[in-house]
Amino acid sequence: MAVILISLIVGVLVAFYFYLAQKNKYWQKRGIPCADGALPGVGHMLWVICMRTSLPECCYKIYEDNKNHSMIGFYNFTSPSLIIIEPELVKTVLQTNFANFSENNVDIDPILDPLVAHNPFFNSGDKWITARKRFTYAFSSMRLKILLESVKSVCVILENYLDNKLSKVRKIELELKDLFSRYTAQVVAAAGFGVDGFCFDDEKEDLSFQKNGQAILNMDTFLFIVRFLIPSLNKIFKKSLTPKHIDRFFRTLVADLMEQRRKDGIPRNDFLHLMTELERTEGDKIDLEMLTSHALSFFLDGYETSSSAMSFVGFQLASHPKVQEKLRKEVMTVLDKYDGVITYEGLKEMTYMDQVLNESQRVISVAGLMTKRCTEKFELKGSDGLVCHVQPGTEILIPTQGLQKDPRYWENPEVFDPERFSPDRKHSIEKFTFLPFGEGPRICVGMRMALLQMKAGLAAILRKYSLELSPRTQLPLKNIPGTVLTTPKGGLWVFLQQL
Ligand code: HEM
């Protein structure tokens, strides 16, 4: 009896193994080359789930090893995904044939995560158009000028925080991600909600927007990866991505603020006010749940991305004193022109700052990868003769980091050189090889807000302080595996002192 049972179990296991192994033949059957190392059941994800690497890094390695192809097959566990290598194909997916690839391949369960589910990033069709329209409205030049007033108030808080730390010592050692997370979370609190984020006040840590942000985003754990990559597990375990107390925090905050505003009717310089203005002037009905959701999107999409990008810029400036000096000169010249005040026009005139931001984002990509989903079948044709009949539901991976570090498009790609983006040279950059904010109809809708807050914060620092790299920063930088965004191991440490 026992022998029969064991044979049966072994038989089932062997059959299951062959079934899974068969799944890894999807690309082979279609004549598309596949990245080495796919295993039955886990595909190319073994090292990702073992937290030895991150998905963007895994795709970067595959990009590096397969650059001679226009596209390459990949297995996200048992699902076949396609990594696009040729910039022309990236253009097809993101822009020319957007209708066939119109969704981001990340799903959110609206029952489990009702607030996050309205985020434009996770939506498609009419819901996406409506949500995107609202963000586009808030980030027009005219309204960014309004939001800049709140950003400027945060720059003052940032300066006071640093001055206070420097009041007794000549220089201080700081971790840049910590500093800029405080800054961008405080910006979201001020420019998003019109409240104090308590991010520079360690005694009010429990109320801090930064701590709340970390509670949602910094789950650097195996659980987070699995839940993010396999959302179906969230349904099985009935766990939402947003912790309950965070959901409550934002609902209560927005409800209280709206009640107060209805009573006093005072116009504010923040996103919430702009949304209510949109509702009034355009008759676009936005209920409290939707309003809370948009405000949370402002937080989720803007806080961590911008603070990471700023910390990488700070790291590059500390590592390249000449670039820092040149940028400081530009900041001083422009600020002098505007009587020392940070203005919208002044920030626009800081064009070397744009070069530095671009080059920093090229060298260290904040996200490293974009994932799209085929929504209508399409024939992708590479210049190497490969033809892929992409089926609806297939994941398309765009290896941003690979494209931004490819020596075919960038001379000495590892070298940090803002001159690549100078007015004379930027036109020769191959299209669709530089994608810090994505491209096409789904390009980051918060890009202008991101640039505004990053430029204002950096200008506030450079006008008063100098940055010098601390030996505590572990070089060369290595990413912490298992994080959604690029996060250097050990942090980015600098010495900061008054000029
Ligand atoms: C340096 C900071 C930022 C970076 C690097 C960044 C990057 C990105 C990228 C790569 C995408 C995907 C684009 C695509 O799918 O083609 C995206 C989408 C998005 N971003 Fe940003 N972002 C930043 C800041 C912000 C800010 C400040 C906000 C809002 C306050 C924001 C809101 C969004 C939204 C709502 C989407 C989804 C757009 C859509 O699917 O239509 N982002 N961002």
Side-chain angles (χ1 to χ4, degrees), residues 478-493:
K478 285 208 176 81
N479 192 34
I480 301 177
T483 48
V484 177
L485 299 183
T486 309
T487 314
K489 225 182 228 172
L492 298 171
W493 292 89

Side-chain angles (χ1 to χ4, degrees), residues 58-92:
C58 172
C59 290
Y60 179 47
K61 167 113 195 15
I62 292 174
Y63 178 101
E64 291 281 285
D65 295 343
N66 296 279
K67 270 195 251 176
N68 50 332
H69 298 301
S70 58
M71 54 186 112
I72 183 98
F74 176 85
Y75 293 100
N76 190 340
F77 295 95
T78 54
S79 300
S81 308
L82 191 66
I83 303 181
I84 302 289
I85 290 183
E86 222 167 55
E88 197 50 37
L89 293 181
V90 175
K91 181 178 176 188
T92 303

Side-chain angles (χ1 to χ4, degrees), residues 94 104 119-123 128 132 135 139 188 271 297-299 301-307 309-310 361 366-367 369-372 400 435-447 449-451 453-454:
L94 294 183
N104 287 320
N119 189 317
F121 189 84
F122 303 112
N123 274 295
W128 168 65
R132 193 165 169 108
F135 280 88
F139 300 142
V188 175
F271 179 79
S297 300
F298 191 123
F299 185 45
D301 300 338
Y303 147 75
E304 179 87 345
T305 44
S306 304
S307 60
M310 282 182 90
Q361 296 202 85
V366 170
L369 183 73
M370 282 190 284
T371 72
K372 303 284 159 187
T400 320
L435 301 160
F437 293 101
E439 262 296 353
R442 264 196 194 265
I443 191 170
C444 173
V445 72
M447 179 173 75
M449 176 66 202
L451 293 172
Q453 63 170 322
M454 290 198 290

